[in-house]
Amino acid sequence: MSRIVKGPSGKPLALSSAGWKHSAAVRWLLLLLFVLLFYMSISPRLVPETYDLTLNAKSDKDIKAPKQLQDEKATFEAQEAAAEKIGPVYPIVALHNELLVDELFARIDQLNQEDQVTFNEKVDIFKGDIPMRVEKYVTDFVASNKGSQSYSDDLLAEMKRVVTAQSYLVPEETFYKLPKLTSDQLSAMKTVTRDIVRKLTKEPITEAETARTKVAELVNASTLPTKTERETVQELARLTIFPNKFYDKQATDEAKEQARKDAPPVVIKQGDVIVKSGQVITQDIYDQLVALEMLKERKTYWPQVGVLLFCLLFTLALYGYGELTASSAAQKRTNAQWLMLLIVFALNLLFMHLAALAHSEQWPYVGLLAPVALGSMLVTLLIDMHLGMVSALLFSLLASIVLNVEQKQVFDFHYGFVTAVVSFTAVLAIYRASQRSSILKAGIMVSLFGSIAVLALMLVDQEPDKTQIVQSIGFIFSSGLLTAVLVIGLMPFFELTFGILSALKLVELSNPNHPLLRKLLTETPGTYHHSLMVGNLSEAAAEAVGANGLLCRVGSFYHDVGKTKRPLYFIENQNGGENPHDKLEPKVSASIIIAHARDGADMLKAYKLPKQIRDIAEQHHGTTFLKYFFHKVVKQAEAQGVECAYSEDDFRYPGPKAQSKEAAIVGIADCVEAAVRSLNHPTVAQIEGIIGKIIKDRLDDHQYNECDLTLRELDKIAETLKETVIGMFHSRIEYPDDKEMKKLKEKQS
């Protein structure tokens, strides 16, 4: 049955006229406020403040950097300074000069053994062949290493140039000594020459002459016996000693370039004063302000447009998902819920900004202290889990922007990830909470899972700092506990301000020690027991059709509290004693019975119970008809031979009819429990018939016209009530098989 609200003329009123809670204009205003809230929250991070400044003018205030920015000029200067510190690179080239020594001595020995060649011819050959072989050795070395990774082409060219420039000119008389040397002498001389060359070329040599001056001393210290041998070794050693350390332009350029890359960039940190009050705006400062987009004359509105689009997407996601999940429950969300959601978002964003303000170099992770799970937990407790989930997602995105102090990117993945973990943990840990202590447990869960998330992120770092790990985990753990404390403190505010009847509040109201329930138990024990039974029936029926089962159960506990004013006028409290209605006029009796609904609502209001509970007490009978007393007054009139002075309307409850599923379900369960209790040995067929008749009578009497119950849901309610009643009254119910067994036993006896 769809709810129809009618005006004085009997025509349905538009939904927009049903008060501000359903006003379309108010709904649009709230959505606009959501957009403004998101814009005010993230625009300081994404849209820089602009100033009216000109070149060579003085600034009238201190100007701080709105975000972190690299100082390009200072960075370039630092890079060049680092490059200047890099001197020329002189790599050492291993020429293996001892191999050249071996080659020269082998050639000398070979030529000396040629008998056909005369002495003078040998001298002439040595004069041309030995210098040529030295030159060829260098040329071959360059050719064999060209294009290799060991030496660059520039280095090889420089080496050949330097070696050629510092080549040694052997005295002419040395060539006249060579043909006279025997193989044995050459062998001993080669050994000495190799040792000397190897020893001297182990050290870096830039000037060959310096190394060559040491040859004579080393030769004289050798075991060579003759002067000719020593003089010849000196000259050949000097000939084969080259420079081995050369300037490498390419390596030098690469080293300078690497120094430029390694030089840390000069960063203007967020909050750094880039212009002091009274300071002249130089070209460099002006360029910095342009780079930071802080000059009004260079102002662009694209960042504002981008932020506005972000805000619209956030709002559409929140509203669209909220309405989608509400329509699936056949219940639209009211403006009161959206206003409450707006306040929750504002509070959560406020705490984020406070944490961001506390950021400093000493406390770089203080943003983790923000109780970001607060909003998701409040939304789940006050509205439902669906909005809690989408709120958790939005809070993750917002936190990654608001807490992104360094602003290297639009979103800070670290804060976004941690916020997502703690927010979804909060929703899953709290959505079935049944007592206040559950909030503290949820806060501890938030602390634990948040700590795991932070630890994971810190360990991913290649070189995690132990101090930073401890600091981060300490902040996030404290955040979970702070979240629990804030939720416990804020819940009563929302419950009282918006009339929210949360699951936690309902569980508190179900406590038997509540003054009204104590009054019901002590003064009307029969009604108290009846209320408990109705609570069990209505809760099962409500859960079967997706209504609030907990509200039905608690509402059932209080629905007949008005009977405490005149307890003996209700049959469940008479305990088989005298019925006072036997001595009263039917109209008076009906008035007493009818009054208990209004009396109960007044008592509940006096005790400041939530409106939903009062509505159940006032509406559970709707405008139903008291047939018994009406028939009694009709019979009295017939017996007296007069026309009855009353109509059916005089014996109806004043209503209103049930305005919610919960009130209608409690009303059905109330009648079913009373009817079944009146039977001595109810059968399954009787129970099924009674439930069907009660629902049909109320349906025919139009008692469900103003609530959202459908015929399909009424069938589910009937089936659920039947199963629950059979379970509750199992020992008293006679099944058909039981009757047959009794008859069989009677026949046998």
Side-chain angles (χ1 to χ4, degrees):
M1 294 292 180
S2 60
R3 180 178 177 179
I4 302 175
V5 181
K6 298 182 178 181
S9 64
K11 296 181 178 180
L13 293 175
L15 187 61
S16 59
S17 64
W20 74 273
K21 291 185 178 181
H22 300 283
S23 170
V26 174
R27 180 69 56 88
W28 281 106
L29 176 60
L30 289 172
L31 293 178
L32 177 61
L33 290 176
F34 267 108
V35 174
L36 291 176
L37 174 64
F38 292 146
Y39 187 87
M40 293 172 62
S41 298
I42 66 177
S43 60
R45 289 282 182 267
L46 305 180
V47 179
E49 184 180 0
T50 57
Y51 299 89
D52 188 11
L53 298 172
T54 58
L55 190 63
N56 299 324
K58 290 185 178 181
S59 173
D60 57 353
K61 62 177 69 175
D62 287 348
I63 299 177
K64 296 182 180 180
K67 61 182 179 180
Q68 183 169 295
L69 179 72
Q70 181 174 319
D71 189 334
E72 298 294 343
K73 182 178 180 181
T75 300
F76 177 77
E77 292 176 351
Q79 291 173 344
E80 291 303 313
E84 287 296 324
K85 292 180 181 179
I86 301 297
V89 177
Y90 283 86
I92 295 176
V93 178
L95 287 167
H96 303 291
N97 304 59
E98 63 274 13
L99 297 179
L100 178 59
V101 171
D102 293 342
E103 182 181 340
L104 293 180
F105 274 96
R107 175 58 179 157
I108 295 169
D109 188 33
Q110 177 191 9
L111 189 60
N112 285 348
Q113 293 180 17
E114 294 288 342
D115 296 334
Q116 294 83 1
V117 183
T118 65
F119 178 86
N120 291 329
E121 290 176 339
K122 290 180 181 179
V123 171
D124 292 337
I125 292 173
F126 285 137
K127 287 181 180 180
D129 192 42
I130 290 178
M132 180 271 295
R133 287 182 178 274
V134 173
E135 182 179 355
K136 183 177 182 299
Y137 181 83
V138 175
T139 303
D140 290 345
F141 181 87
V142 172
S144 62
N145 286 278
K146 201 163 190 178
S148 68
Q149 296 181 351
S150 302
Y151 308 111
S152 66
D153 291 347
D154 289 344
L155 176 61
L156 292 172
E158 177 68 9
M159 183 208 73
K160 186 174 182 180
R161 185 190 68 81
V162 173
V163 169
T164 302
Q166 297 187 28
S167 60
Y168 183 74
L169 185 61
V170 178
E172 188 172 350
E173 59 268 19
T174 302
F175 296 113
Y176 286 93
K177 298 175 183 178
L178 295 178
K180 300 176 182 180
L181 297 173
T182 66
S183 294
D184 292 338
Q185 288 178 313
L186 289 173
S187 178
M189 292 168 61
K190 182 179 75 171
T191 302
V192 174
T193 307
R194 280 177 59 91
D195 292 341
I196 293 173
V197 171
R198 184 186 295 114
K199 182 177 181 180
L200 292 178
T201 54
K202 279 183 179 180
E203 301 296 327
I205 303 172
T206 55
E207 293 293 333
E209 193 58 36
T210 303
R212 289 165 182 164
T213 58
K214 301 177 182 178
V215 172
E217 181 181 353
L218 294 174
V219 171
N220 292 331
S222 68
T223 58
L224 295 175
T226 66
K227 180 180 179 182
T228 299
E229 292 176 346
R230 290 195 294 271
E231 289 177 348
T232 303
V233 167
Q234 287 183 27
E235 297 305 324
L236 292 176
R238 288 169 181 162
L239 176 65
T240 55
I241 291 176
F242 311 141
N244 60 7
K245 186 177 180 182
F246 310 96
Y247 170 68
D248 190 343
K249 183 177 183 302
Q250 182 177 339
T252 302
D253 293 341
E254 290 175 355
K256 288 181 178 292
E257 186 61 30
Q258 188 61 44
R260 292 187 183 95
K261 292 179 180 179
D262 294 341
V266 179
V267 175
I268 301 173
K269 296 182 180 179
Q270 183 189 24
D272 286 353
V273 177
I274 54 178
V275 181
K276 294 182 179 179
S277 179
Q279 185 177 355
V280 175
I281 307 299
T282 63
Q283 185 64 51
D284 292 341
I285 295 175
Y286 188 85
D287 293 339
Q288 286 181 352
L289 295 174
V290 171
L292 290 168
E293 299 177 354
M294 299 178 67
L295 294 176
K296 286 187 177 180
E297 63 182 40
R298 298 290 189 95
K299 183 177 181 180
T300 175
Y301 291 94
W302 291 118
Q304 287 89 333
V305 174
V307 172
L308 186 60
L309 290 176
F310 269 133
C311 300
L312 288 173
L313 288 174
F314 292 162
T315 304
L316 287 174
L318 184 63
Y319 181 74
Y321 190 81
E323 288 299 303
L324 179 65
T325 54
S327 62
S328 64
Q331 183 180 10
K332 293 292 183 181
R333 302 195 189 279
T334 65
N335 290 334
Q337 289 179 312
W338 288 112
L339 176 59
M340 181 168 55
L341 191 64
L342 179 66
I343 295 174
V344 170
F345 266 79
L347 284 173
N348 214 36
L349 287 168
L350 174 62
F351 285 118
M352 288 184 193
H353 279 284
L354 290 177
L357 288 175
H359 180 272
S360 64
E361 292 185 0
Q362 293 77 19
W363 305 102
Y365 299 102
V366 72
L368 295 172
L369 185 60
V372 290
L374 169 69
S376 302
M377 198 177 293
L378 283 174
V379 172
T380 303
L381 288 171
L382 297 171
I383 303 179
D384 60 34
M385 180 184 177
H386 298 292
L387 270 180
M389 284 292 189
V390 72
S391 297
L393 175 61
L394 289 180
F395 284 134
S396 302
L397 295 174
L398 291 168
S400 66
I401 297 175
V402 174
L403 298 176
N404 183 16
V405 177
E406 295 184 355
Q407 293 183 309
K408 296 179 180 178
Q409 296 177 341
V410 175
F411 298 97
D412 188 325
F413 168 77
H414 296 80
Y415 284 114
F417 174 72
V418 173
T419 302
V421 170
V422 299
S423 296
F424 283 109
T425 299
V427 173
L428 296 175
I430 203 67
Y431 82 103
R432 287 185 176 176
S434 59
Q435 47 190 324
R436 301 285 174 181
S437 60
S438 300
I439 298 177
L440 182 58
K441 294 178 182 178
I444 295 174
M445 292 290 289
V446 167
S447 296
L448 292 176
F449 280 91
S451 299
I452 294 173
V454 169
L455 181 61
L457 288 173
M458 298 296 287
L459 292 179
V460 166
D461 190 357
Q462 294 182 354
E463 296 180 359
D465 187 289
K466 292 183 179 179
T467 303
Q468 292 181 349
I469 291 177
V470 173
Q471 183 188 118
S472 301
I473 293 178
F475 280 136
I476 194 64
F477 198 90
S478 301
S479 171
L481 300 180
L482 179 60
T483 298
V485 171
L486 290 173
V487 170
I488 293 172
L490 290 170
M491 278 293 291
F493 163 76
F494 285 102
E495 289 172 344
L496 292 175
T497 304
F498 292 93
I500 298 296
L501 193 56
S502 65
L504 300 178
K505 185 68 173 178
L506 284 171
V507 172
E508 289 178 356
L509 292 175
S510 67
N511 190 330
N513 290 321
H514 190 281
L516 276 180
L517 294 183
R518 294 290 299 173
K519 180 180 179 68
L520 195 66
L521 174 62
T522 56
E523 298 181 11
T524 57
T527 299
Y528 180 79
H529 180 263
H530 160 73
S531 298
L532 295 181
M533 302 295 280
V534 172
N536 293 331
L537 290 172
S538 62
E539 183 177 27
E543 291 178 350
V545 296
N548 191 334
L550 184 57
L551 174 59
C552 285
R553 178 160 65 91
V554 179
S556 298
F557 292 169
Y558 292 91
H559 81 288
D560 275 345
V561 73
K563 292 181 178 180
T564 56
K565 285 197 172 184
R566 305 174 188 86
L568 295 180
Y569 286 86
F570 299 90
I571 191 169
E572 67 266 22
N573 300 313
Q574 293 171 2
N575 296 323
E578 183 180 0
N579 190 343
H581 290 290
D582 295 339
K583 300 178 181 180
L584 294 178
E585 289 293 325
K587 184 65 176 77
V588 176
S589 295
S591 299
I592 293 173
I593 299 297
I594 289 172
H596 88 274
R598 171 54 60 185
D599 291 340
D602 292 340
M603 291 176 67
L604 293 173
K605 187 174 183 179
Y607 277 84
K608 298 182 179 179
L609 265 73
K611 188 176 183 300
Q612 293 92 326
I613 303 294
R614 302 200 307 267
D615 288 343
I616 290 176
E618 187 177 19
Q619 300 168 13
H620 74 280
H621 283 296
T623 59
T624 53
F625 177 42
L626 292 174
K627 295 180 181 179
Y628 175 80
F629 292 109
F630 179 70
H631 291 163
K632 186 176 179 180
V633 76
V634 170
K635 287 181 179 180
Q636 287 180 354
E638 290 177 352
Q640 295 173 4
V642 297
E643 186 178 351
C644 181
Y646 302 102
S647 66
E648 289 187 6
D649 291 340
D650 296 321
F651 287 83
R652 282 186 177 274
Y653 281 91
K657 295 178 182 179
Q659 304 293 302
S660 65
K661 287 184 180 182
E662 289 76 15
I665 291 171
V666 171
I668 296 171
D670 179 47
C671 290
V672 169
E673 197 281 332
V676 174
R677 181 165 37 85
S678 66
L679 301 176
N680 290 327
H681 296 285
T683 65
V684 175
Q686 285 178 317
I687 292 173
E688 191 171 2
I690 287 173
I691 295 173
K693 184 176 185 303
I694 290 172
I695 292 178
K696 184 178 184 302
D697 288 346
R698 292 203 168 202
L699 186 62
D700 294 340
D701 199 23
H702 307 293
Q703 294 300 314
Y704 307 132
N705 283 11
E706 298 179 12
C707 67
D708 297 324
L709 283 175
T710 64
L711 292 175
R712 184 186 297 273
E713 289 173 335
L714 287 173
D715 288 339
K716 287 185 180 179
I717 291 171
E719 182 65 25
T720 305
L721 286 176
K722 183 187 76 171
E723 295 174 357
T724 309
V725 168
I726 291 173
M728 292 169 58
F729 296 93
H730 186 272
S731 60
R732 292 171 50 194
I733 295 175
E734 291 188 356
Y735 291 86
D737 292 343
D738 295 338
K739 291 182 179 180
E740 292 177 4
M741 291 296 295
K742 283 186 178 180
K743 291 179 181 179
L744 182 62
K745 287 180 180 179
E746 289 174 359
K747 289 180 180 180
Q748 291 176 350
S749 61

